[in-house]
Amino acid sequence: MASLQAVHNIPEICAQLGITDVVLSPGSRCAPLTIAFARHPAITVRTVPDERAAAFIGLGLAQTQRRAVALVCTSGTAGLNYAPAVAEAYFQQIPLVVFTADRPPEWIDQLDGQTIRQADLYGAHAKGSFTFPTDTSHPDAQWHATRLVSEAVGLAEQFPAGPVQVNVPLREPFYPKQGEELQFGPVRVTRELPGRPQLSAAVLQELQDAIRSTSRVLVVAGQHHYDAALLLAVRRFAAAYQVPVVSDLIANLHLPAAASYDQRNRPLGRQDVFMAVPEPGLKEALKPELLITFGQSLISKALKLYLRNAQPAQHWHIQAAGAVADTFQSLTKIVRMEPAGFFDELSVGAPTSTSQLIAGSIPVGPTDSVEPQGFEPFEPSIIARADATRVASGTPRLTWPSTAQLTNTEATAKAAYLKPWLAAENWANGFLQEFMQQPTQPFNEFTAIYQALQHLPDGAALHLANSMAVRYANILGVPAGRTVEVFANRGTSGIDGCTSTAVGAALARPERPVVLLTGDVAFFYDRNAFWHNYPTPNLRVVLLNNHAGGIFRLIDGPRQQPELEEFFETRQPLRAENTARDFGLRYFAVSTFAELESALPVFFAAETGAALLEITTDSPTNAEFFEHYRALVRTSFSH
């Protein structure tokens, strides 16, 4: 079909530019695209009937593989169903190339079936929108079509990555004749080669001097994918300048930085616990003068509000390109670099190769403490007695090989600021450990999730659904030293595609365990995530079913209202057993701690295959227990 050759070339252009996966939803208008992608030998095509689920599955594939994935749908409202995933991809900076089949332009607004205004369909939530030429008979139009697709793929992957729409108007006939073979190419593509900016000597010296001379320097990491070079660079920087580093679980700084990594130098992650302490002295002691941030959003509302109120004199954000948010209302500098490069350059004398850093790290023996130096152990029974906290003794110091030399005055001042951060982290670690192991407590989702997290397989990808699942996990963390990469749809923080995103991740890397921690509303809202024909034996779904939107009992405002149960919680009677049966998931149901303890080892076993663990709890009980936890956090730290 010579008239469709430019359309048939689209898969070849995508393949040459590194796109290997396409998720499409069936339709008639998109038939030329569907057939071309399906017949291309270098591209894996998966069919998902529900466009919303399809788009989030594509997002999960792209998020895991860290390269662009293509979506293909028919005309009309099909493309609108991509919108939630497109918005999530935009704010989470994930590359998607969205091909929306369309009617020819002369039929728009003419009451033709499945016809809407598709040009620039996603507006400000896409990096760009391209319209494929309707008539490609002229050589210039063919050149234009090839160039346009190359530009779209390049724009999607160009930092900061994001979604791009290519609207493809198509006229009939759509289908090749029986026995007709499609030809792909030849095509000429345009590739983008990334560069790496470096700081000039003068700017580097200026930044180093500012960090050395400022006593209260704090690094805060937002959401970020796992990056081995970044882990090493941040730890070396923290040790060189004796600077506390605070990160949410989705920043992925909790992972071991090397095989011989000194656990005593891990970033702090208990801010959701100690930031809830109503102690003015603690808040004043933690207040930074220079705040250095990188990454995307924070989960911890307490930390976010604290930093907004703290108003540091300087706030530097590290980001290679793109718009920068002034989240804490204190931004003074934007450093246009990748975070790993920034921390490497600022760490004076840091070795440049990974092997040097690993060889130079401090081995930890089996009997060594995993607490940072300067911590005082948490005193047992503080939960029962609500004792006052104790301040760490000695001079804290973060240990990692470095040639950076601080003067005695600089080192003393930085130690005085580092000390309360380490003490607060240590207190929170001990508090959580004792609180979660109370022998007598009602069956509740907070403790159930704590126990599930202890059983996570090493090397797993942990996907956290929005609402309470991501909040619980951020408080509790994953076991120290466990290699678990964490994902969450925190670009828009919606519940609409959390399950589909995890399914995409499971399809992207079938050799890696993928664990989804989700609530009932998010799970049942996105059941079409499983409506496809592709096995995911590596997928485990941990479902918290309290038969309600339980978060509304835990946040101030709705929980005090008489309309809580009907209009906020929206109680529902659903169970997941039928869903598991429909889609071939092995089903586990627990409603006691004994049942949970028995189920977890079997549920996570590799030979179990795709499985769903439904943890049934009572919403009022969950709220009461979590309020008990919050009350003890406040009273246990008070003087």
Side-chain angles (χ1 to χ4, degrees), residues 40-125:
H40 197 283
I43 292 180
T44 299
V45 180
R46 298 177 178 91
T47 303
V48 180
D50 183 322
E51 283 88 2
R52 191 187 72 203
F56 276 107
I57 288 173
L59 184 143
L61 286 161
Q63 184 185 59
T64 301
Q65 297 174 343
R66 297 185 198 166
R67 62 174 180 265
V69 165
L71 305 175
V72 176
C73 70
T74 193
S75 62
T77 57
L80 288 174
N81 283 287
Y82 282 169
V86 168
E88 178 65 30
Y90 181 82
F91 288 108
Q92 207 181 139
Q93 299 176 1
I94 295 174
L96 294 177
V97 183
V98 182
F99 293 98
T100 53
D102 197 3
R103 259 35 179 195
E106 63 269 19
W107 285 106
I108 307 302
D109 292 328
Q110 300 306 306
L111 305 182
D112 207 23
Q114 286 186 256
T115 306
I116 65 172
R117 300 171 184 177
Q118 288 185 206
D120 196 20
L121 190 60
Y122 308 109
H125 292 117

Side-chain angles (χ1 to χ4, degrees), residues 361-385:
S361 60
I362 302 172
V364 179
T367 60
D368 288 348
S369 167
V370 296
E371 299 301 340
Q373 295 177 16
F375 278 21
E376 182 170 352
F378 179 85
E379 186 175 344
S381 301
I382 199 168
I383 300 300
R385 297 187 292 102

Side-chain angles (χ1 to χ4, degrees), residues 516 518-520 523-524 541-545 576 612-616:
L516 170 66
T518 184
D520 51 347
F523 175 81
F524 291 118
V541 179
V542 180
L543 167 60
L544 306 173
N545 191 353
L612 188 152
L613 171 64
E614 184 169 23
I615 301 173
T616 302

Side-chain angles (χ1 to χ4, degrees), residues 149-165:
V149 177
S150 282
E151 288 178 3
V153 176
L155 181 60
E157 294 193 323
Q158 181 188 95
F159 188 92
V164 171
Q165 180 197 9

Side-chain angles (χ1 to χ4, degrees), residues 326-337:
D326 189 6
T327 305
F328 310 114
Q329 301 177 309
S330 57
L331 191 63
T332 58
K333 276 190 179 73
I334 299 171
V335 182
R336 291 301 188 184
M337 293 187 70

Side-chain angles (χ1 to χ4, degrees), residues 241-533:
Y241 294 102
Q242 295 299 292
V243 169
V245 177
V246 181
S247 69
D248 279 338
L249 192 59
I250 57 174
N252 283 299
L253 292 187
H254 60 278
L255 285 92
S260 54
Y261 160 51
D262 184 354
Q263 294 282 2
R264 292 171 295 181
N265 193 20
R266 66 183 182 273
L268 313 181
R270 299 297 190 195
Q271 61 275 9
D272 264 340
V273 182
F274 61 75
M275 280 293 171
V277 172
E279 174 54 56
L282 175 65
K283 299 294 176 62
E284 184 61 32
L286 301 181
K287 186 175 179 180
E289 297 170 351
L290 167 56
L291 174 65
I292 302 175
T293 61
F294 66 92
Q296 298 166 27
S297 63
L298 291 178
I299 299 171
S300 177
K301 184 177 181 180
L303 178 60
K304 190 186 303 183
L305 294 178
Y306 171 72
L307 291 174
R308 285 177 186 169
N309 291 328
Q311 286 294 295
Q314 297 187 71
H315 172 195
W316 306 348
H317 185 75
I318 318 304
Q319 183 173 305
V324 173
D326 189 6
T327 305
F328 310 114
Q329 301 177 309
S330 57
L331 191 63
T332 58
K333 276 190 179 73
I334 299 171
V335 182
R336 291 301 188 184
M337 293 187 70
E338 290 284 355
F342 170 83
F343 290 112
D344 261 340
E345 288 199 33
L346 267 291
S347 301
V348 180
T352 56
S353 75
T354 301
S355 60
Q356 285 178 283
L357 283 167
I358 292 175
S361 60
I362 302 172
V364 179
T367 60
D368 288 348
S369 167
V370 296
E371 299 301 340
Q373 295 177 16
F375 278 21
E376 182 170 352
F378 179 85
E379 186 175 344
S381 301
I382 199 168
I383 300 300
R385 297 187 292 102
D387 249 4
T389 186
R390 304 184 62 181
V391 178
S393 58
T395 301
R397 181 166 179 78
L398 299 175
T399 54
W400 192 270
S402 175
T403 58
Q405 298 295 321
L406 299 174
T407 67
N408 288 336
T409 300
E410 291 168 345
T412 301
K414 290 183 181 298
Y417 181 58
L418 180 62
K419 185 174 182 177
W421 281 101
L422 299 182
E425 177 84 355
N426 183 64
W427 172 85
N429 278 330
F431 175 90
L432 275 178
Q433 183 176 7
E434 185 169 342
F435 181 84
M436 301 312 300
Q437 295 175 359
Q438 295 176 79
T440 58
Q441 55 178 288
F443 188 65
N444 69 91
E445 60 188 19
F446 191 34
T447 306
I449 287 309
Y450 172 77
Q451 294 185 5
L453 291 171
Q454 305 310 302
H455 285 77
L456 285 175
D458 201 40
L462 175 62
H463 281 250
L464 302 172
N466 285 308
S467 199
M468 284 309 297
V470 70
R471 290 170 170 83
Y472 284 146
N474 201 52
I475 292 169
L476 298 169
V478 298
R482 197 75 58 85
T483 304
V484 175
E485 188 175 4
V486 182
F487 301 86
N489 284 350
R490 298 300 290 179
T492 60
S493 301
I495 64 167
D496 36 11
C498 301
T499 306
S500 295
T501 305
V503 168
L507 292 169
R509 288 189 56 184
E511 81 286 355
R512 177 168 73 165
V514 174
V515 180
L516 170 66
L517 176 57
T518 184
D520 51 347
V521 178
F523 175 81
F524 291 118
Y525 192 87
D526 193 23
R527 276 185 289 190
N528 278 353
F530 305 109
W531 186 22
H532 55 78
N533 299 320

